[in-house]
Amino acid sequence: MSTLPDFSDADRLLPAVAQDVDTGQVRMLAYMNRAAWEQTLATGEATYFSRSRGKLWKKGEQSGHVQRVREIYVDCDGDTILLKVEQVGGAACHKGYQSCFFRQWDGKEFQSVGRRVFDPQQVYDSST
Amino acid sequence: MSTLPDFSDADRLLPAVAQDVDTGQVRMLAYMNRAAWEQTLATGEATYFSRSRGKLWKKGEQSGHVQRVREIYVDCDGDTILLKVEQVGGAACHKGYQSCFFRQWDGKEFQSVGRRVFDPQQVYDSST
């Protein structure tokens, strides 16, 4: 088994940056444990570990907006992952934006600058 | 004071992605605490918190390869920062590569694919 990324402890969480393979837009950052990493490799679709829910989370499992992984990189320290992905549905953010980084600093505060692709209320079942 | 990014605890470390403002290349990921964030805003050059050294670390303080911050974004959860930077010297990685993500997964293992811009032995004083 590869020693990269450094999942020396299976529960260790490493940040994974998802970048659009075509446009270079940084879509989101989430975390992987070893199981998420192995599932991502096995399926070719990004799986993360949800810190809030405490379990594996296949991106798009609810919205259908999966991330097809085209390229995978690891950084010099072996503790950060970079995925170049094709974002199905055009939006990575659960709030309906192309990118989770839809707020930009204007020198005093953050302003929303992102483009909304979908209405979250129409995508996520509010009863779950 | 802005509640974004979420430095509710001054010691909380948030990941910060540094992306080249011109090419879109993801250069590196490092961490900020509140002091690093405030110093970055005040100086316009990226300052992180070094987890290994346990102190603020102005990127390029030793190599001269500072990062001039052009744009700043925060994600939907307020717990990840994205910097669009101009990387002075052309290399973000202490190993001399343009990007810290110079190793790509080939399906079995990681292969070095990055371009080396400088020789670390000529930039860093090995006595320190």
Side-chain angles (χ1 to χ4, degrees), chain B residues 7-109:
Chain B
F7 289 117
S8 46
D9 173 339
D11 293 331
R12 184 180 187 192
L13 295 181
L14 299 182
V17 178
Q19 182 181 29
D20 190 280
V21 67
D22 293 319
T23 68
Q25 183 183 40
V26 174
R27 297 288 199 149
M28 58 181 280
L29 180 143
Y31 293 85
M32 288 187 180
N33 60 1
R34 190 189 292 164
W37 166 252
E38 290 175 350
Q39 188 165 317
T40 298
L41 290 186
T43 64
E45 296 185 333
T47 293
Y48 304 100
F49 182 84
S50 168
R51 295 180 302 169
S52 58
R53 287 176 282 165
K55 63 175 187 178
L56 287 187
W57 153 50
K58 181 182 170 178
K59 173 66 185 167
E61 62 191 1
Q62 208 182 338
S63 65
H65 299 162
V66 300
Q67 293 177 334
R68 295 184 186 132
V69 177
R70 298 296 188 210
E71 300 171 17
I72 304 176
Y73 300 82
V74 69
D75 78 346
C76 47
D77 296 325
D79 62 3
T80 305
I81 296 158
L82 172 63
L83 305 176
K84 295 201 181 182
V85 304
E86 176 193 344
Q87 177 64 62
V88 172
C93 183
H94 71 290
K95 292 193 174 178
Y97 292 92
Q98 280 190 330
S99 165
C100 293
F101 298 94
F102 60 85
R103 290 177 295 196
Q104 184 176 3
W105 183 252
D106 72 359
K108 287 189 175 175
E109 59 188 350

Side-chain angles (χ1 to χ4, degrees), chain A residues 4 15 19 24 26 29 31 37 41 51 71-76 79-80 82 93 100-101 103-105 110, chain B residues 4 15 19 24 26 29 31 37 41 51 71-76 79-80 82 100-101 103-105 110:
Chain A
L4 287 172
Q19 182 181 30
V26 175
L29 180 143
Y31 293 84
W37 166 251
L41 289 187
R51 295 179 301 169
E71 299 171 17
I72 304 175
Y73 299 83
V74 68
D75 79 345
C76 48
D79 62 3
T80 305
L82 172 63
C93 184
C100 292
F101 299 93
R103 290 177 295 195
Q104 183 175 3
W105 184 251
F110 283 97
Chain B
L4 287 172
Q19 182 181 29
V26 174
L29 180 143
Y31 293 85
W37 166 252
L41 290 186
R51 295 180 302 169
E71 300 171 17
I72 304 176
Y73 300 82
V74 69
D75 78 346
C76 47
D79 62 3
T80 305
L82 172 63
C100 293
F101 298 94
R103 290 177 295 196
Q104 184 176 3
W105 183 252
F110 283 97

